[in-house]
Amino acid sequence: MLCLGIEGTAHTCGIGIVNSRGKILANASRTYIPEHGGIHPREAARFHAANARLVLNEALKAAKIDIDDVDLVAFSRGPGLGPCLRTAATAARALASWLDVPIVSVNHCIAHVEIGRLTEGAKDPVTLYVSGGNTQVIAFDAGRYRVFGETLDIPVGNCLDVFAREVGIPHPGGPNVERLAREGKHYIPLPYVVKGMDLSFSGLMTEAVRKHRAGSNLRDLCFSLQETAFAALIEVTERAVAHTEKREVMLTGGVAANKRLREMLKLMAREHHAKFFVPPMELCADNGAMIGWTGVLAYRHGVRQKLKDTGVMQRWRTDQVDIPWRNR
Ligand code: AMP
Ligand code: MG
């Protein structure tokens, strides 16, 4: 069985082709980069519509298959930006009905976890999923992926990006903040906010921008911003590991590219005698292969959907999804 997975929650238009044994035959994508400021949802959706055919052709070519060989279509139903989700869903419905094959909708956050379990061999990890649009600590418990902690306001990637933009660090924000942080020498105190198991980054971002305007050294600020934000992420992930007694920790999402975050999480995992996993960056970032593979898992375990029941869900929560492919 070949599943074609369509990712379209935010800036990435991704199409992956995966077989029923989990072999990734193709993972093509194009990413929308705003000319200035953050992602404009309608602009991003237009980008998806304009690039879908190109990405589809690339995926088919890489997989060396014909469109008629596709047996199943999966798409990212949410969470994400409404216009982007609707564009990807429309493409998925059109393809499924034209090919006359089943369609399954996939939760984007769960797909990030599942692709890591597939390729890295993690069986039951506590996952720290950190990106421009999401920040969650996820672990499987009692039949579902539970959110052990999450941001109450902006995602950590967004915190880095907006800080960068406000202080004049060029795009891409996250990697450039990381580069400058390596040259930082002094820790400048910044608001460290953990509420119960949840996180908050907007006050941290605002204060870091304010300190820059007040004359603090930019390299020291980048260093301090990373140390503060990442320490909070590690604290919450560590408590999830201690509570669940799981022996695996996984890092994913675009911010997983950050070497300092990797180092901190790896140290924490070691202290808990847990194995540490990070998928390759093309699978940490938003991608179609993860949607295709999660579609395979769902379909193989009896998930069936009618076209009319595939409406997008902008705020679809990780813990709202039944996971028939995993044992309780
Ligand atoms: P995603 O939303 O998964 O596509 O990932 C994009 C996010 O990852 C953006 O917020 C980037 O700033 C962030 N990011 C990418 N590389 C790094 C890095 N080296 N350090 C920190 N953040 C990064
Ligand atoms: Mg993502």
Side-chain angles (χ1 to χ4, degrees):
M1 182 178 75
L2 290 179
C3 178
L4 182 137
I6 303 179
E7 158 59 31
T9 56
H11 53 23
T12 300
C13 171
I15 296 189
I17 297 170
V18 182
N19 75 14
S20 52
R21 289 189 308 279
K23 184 165 196 282
I24 299 169
L25 304 175
N27 192 23
S29 69
R30 283 289 184 284
T31 299
Y32 161 75
I33 300 171
E35 274 175 30
H36 35 247
I39 301 181
H40 187 298
R42 275 243 56 90
E43 291 290 315
R46 240 176 257 139
F47 175 89
H48 286 263
N51 285 275
R53 177 194 288 264
L54 174 93
V55 177
L56 174 62
N57 285 337
E58 268 182 24
L60 293 171
K61 198 170 165 202
K64 300 192 180 72
I65 64 161
D66 193 76
I67 188 77
D68 293 325
D69 299 329
V70 170
D71 303 297
L72 174 68
V73 173
F75 75 99
S76 55
R77 185 184 203 182
L81 306 171
C84 302
L85 291 173
R86 286 191 288 276
T87 305
T90 304
R93 290 186 205 114
L95 266 180
S97 30
W98 180 56
L99 294 169
D100 197 20
V101 298
I103 185 169
V104 285
S105 59
V106 166
N107 179 289
H108 176 90
C109 306
I110 290 173
H112 271 291
V113 178
E114 289 303 345
I115 198 70
R117 293 210 310 133
L118 171 70
T119 63
E120 304 314 294
K123 291 185 180 64
D124 187 21
V126 171
T127 301
L128 174 60
Y129 166 35
V130 275
S131 72
N134 293 281
T135 296
Q136 293 186 350
V137 176
I138 305 167
F140 188 77
D141 185 44
R144 287 193 176 187
Y145 281 107
R146 309 286 168 180
V147 179
F148 280 79
E150 64 194 315
T151 182
L152 296 169
D153 41 55
I154 57 172
V156 67
N158 189 248
C159 169
L160 299 172
D161 294 340
V162 175
F163 169 76
R165 208 153 67 221
E166 292 290 318
V167 304
I169 296 173
H171 183 87
N176 284 330
V177 169
E178 176 175 26
R179 194 172 43 73
L180 289 166
R182 264 187 236 124
E183 295 159 19
K185 291 193 174 55
H186 305 288
Y187 181 77
I188 300 168
L190 290 170
Y192 177 94
V193 185
V194 175
K195 296 183 181 178
M197 285 292 280
D198 291 328
L199 299 139
S200 159
F201 297 105
S202 66
L204 169 63
M205 187 269 290
T206 311
E207 180 60 8
V209 172
R210 199 191 64 78
K211 286 220 155 94
H212 176 259
R213 290 189 182 141
S216 292
N217 176 283
L218 184 59
R219 289 173 170 77
D220 288 343
L221 266 180
C222 289
F223 167 71
S224 309
L225 180 64
Q226 281 200 172
E227 292 302 302
T228 310
F230 295 171
L233 290 168
I234 306 295
E235 176 184 335
V236 171
T237 313
E238 178 162 24
R239 261 192 273 131
V241 171
H243 174 83
T244 59
E245 298 184 343
K246 293 195 192 287
R247 290 285 170 267
E248 296 176 337
V249 175
M250 186 159 74
L251 176 63
T252 191
V255 186
N258 191 287
K259 294 208 173 61
R260 177 61 179 144
L261 179 60
R262 288 179 181 220
E263 175 184 53
M264 289 167 82
L265 202 57
K266 195 173 179 179
L267 266 174
M268 183 278 281
R270 190 188 299 159
E271 283 176 8
H272 287 265
H273 308 287
K275 282 191 190 163
F276 179 60
F277 304 89
V278 194
M281 274 323 290
E282 66 269 20
L283 296 177
C284 279
D286 291 351
N287 65 88
M290 70 180 192
I291 304 299
W293 172 237
T294 311
V296 167
L297 289 172
Y299 189 80
R300 271 197 346 217
H301 290 81
V303 174
R304 298 290 183 270
Q305 275 182 298
K306 296 204 169 74
L307 273 187
K308 67 177 177 57
D309 300 326
T310 57
V312 304
M313 295 169 80
Q314 285 185 58
R315 298 186 184 278
W316 198 14
R317 285 186 58 81
T318 305
D319 49 16
Q320 282 177 319
V321 187
D322 286 327
I323 311 292
W325 57 90
R326 289 195 63 175
N327 295 326
R328 301 180 79 79

